[in-house]
Amino acid sequence: MLSTYKQKQRVVHICIYLAITIIYLLLASCSKKQADEIAPEPPPQEKVTYNNFAQALFQSRCSGCHAAGGPGSGAFTFSGYASVVANAERIRQAVIVTKRMPPNGSLSAAELESLSKWFEDGMTQQ
Ligand code: HEC
């Protein structure tokens, strides 16, 4: 009698374990499914524009010499988007092709790549 009671108890324990495992699996699969549904599409690679990239680069890496009155202002005076577009081919040559500018060659490979992409994509402002 005692042994059948113990057997029953074991069966109950196994059932409880199984139930817990099943509930756990159900919860795990639900939350994973939900997470998949909620997760947004990965954004398309951000477009390089004047406003989100090029302006800051010209400002920080060029305007020290190419702002009005600076040592490089005779060759190119940076004064905003229009001044870059008007000199685009010379700037592209000096920075991307011959890499004469900036004179200390301080642009990183990533900056050069983004700037070159910006020229290729038609120098969009925003
Ligand atoms: C340390 C100062 C300095 C910095 C920084 C600098 N330049 Fe210059 N740049 C000059 C000087 C001086 C000249 C004129 C002499 C020459 O051509 O070497 C010049 C010339 C140029 C020219 C004319 C080249 C040609 O062949 O007609 C362009 C275009 C130019 N720079 C663009 C840039 C751009 C774009 C940047 C930033 C990425 C930059 N420069 C950073 C000093 C600088």
Side-chain angles (χ1 to χ4, degrees):
M1 191 62 195
L2 191 66
S3 76
T4 51
Y5 173 74
K6 275 199 160 173
Q7 277 174 345
K8 273 187 191 165
Q9 211 179 24
R10 253 179 115 165
V11 169
V12 168
H13 279 162
I14 289 171
C15 284
I16 291 172
Y17 276 125
L18 278 177
I20 289 173
T21 307
I22 288 169
I23 289 170
Y24 174 79
L25 287 176
L26 279 176
L27 284 178
S29 72
C30 280
S31 53
K32 187 175 181 305
K33 202 174 157 212
Q34 262 181 4
D36 285 348
E37 281 163 5
I38 291 167
E41 290 286 303
Q45 211 194 347
E46 207 184 339
K47 202 171 120 189
V48 179
T49 67
Y50 181 77
N51 287 350
N52 77 9
F53 172 75
Q55 178 175 31
L57 184 129
F58 289 118
Q59 199 84 55
S60 63
R61 307 307 190 94
C62 318
S63 71
C65 297
H66 287 283
S73 61
F76 156 58
T77 304
F78 173 71
S79 60
Y81 179 70
S83 70
V84 176
V85 172
N87 294 282
E89 193 41 40
R90 286 168 64 231
I91 293 173
R92 203 184 66 83
Q93 280 292 327
V95 179
I96 311 284
V97 182
T98 67
K99 298 191 169 63
R100 280 185 55 226
M101 289 290 144
N104 54 7
S106 61
L107 296 191
S108 71
E111 286 172 325
L112 284 172
E113 194 182 315
S114 294
L115 192 66
S116 137
K117 197 170 176 322
W118 182 65
F119 281 118
E120 280 165 27
D121 291 350
M123 298 176 282
T124 43
Q125 189 163 11
Q126 41 193 311

